[in-house]
Amino acid sequence: NISSPMRRYITQNTGYFKQVATFCTMGGSGGNKVLNDIATLCGKRPVAQLTLTEEQIKNNGYFESVNNFVVSLAGYYR
């Protein structure tokens, strides 16, 4: 679930968001649900999304995912 501080930040600032890109780090699962909840709260379709598990980070298995996320952002803002 979205943390209370994050939920509060989004709801208080929704009017300021022109575009959003979302990412989530997690111990297990549920990241896609959180990202979808964030998108709903923002009222915007994210230009890019990324979920990373603790296991991916510990095993250095995140490089390709992060690279794809960055490439998506770079391609969007050109």
Side-chain angles (χ1 to χ4, degrees):
N1 292 316
I2 304 170
S3 67
S4 297
M6 184 67 169
R7 183 179 299 277
R8 179 175 297 125
Y9 176 82
I10 292 169
T11 57
Q12 289 178 344
N13 293 285
T14 298
Y16 297 105
F17 302 142
K18 293 181 181 179
Q19 292 96 21
V20 296
T22 56
F23 70 93
C24 176
T25 58
M26 63 196 143
S29 62
N32 288 330
K33 177 193 175 301
V34 169
L35 296 184
N36 289 334
D37 291 348
I38 290 171
T40 299
L41 283 174
C42 290
K44 303 278 184 195
R45 182 172 179 223
V47 298
Q49 292 185 308
L50 171 65
T51 59
L52 294 174
T53 63
E54 181 179 10
E55 188 68 24
Q56 287 174 296
I57 294 167
K58 283 182 181 178
N59 295 324
N60 293 322
Y62 58 90
F63 296 108
E64 184 177 350
S65 297
V66 171
N67 185 62
N68 291 340
F69 181 74
V70 171
V71 167
S72 293
L73 291 175
Y76 182 80
Y77 289 105
R78 284 187 180 183

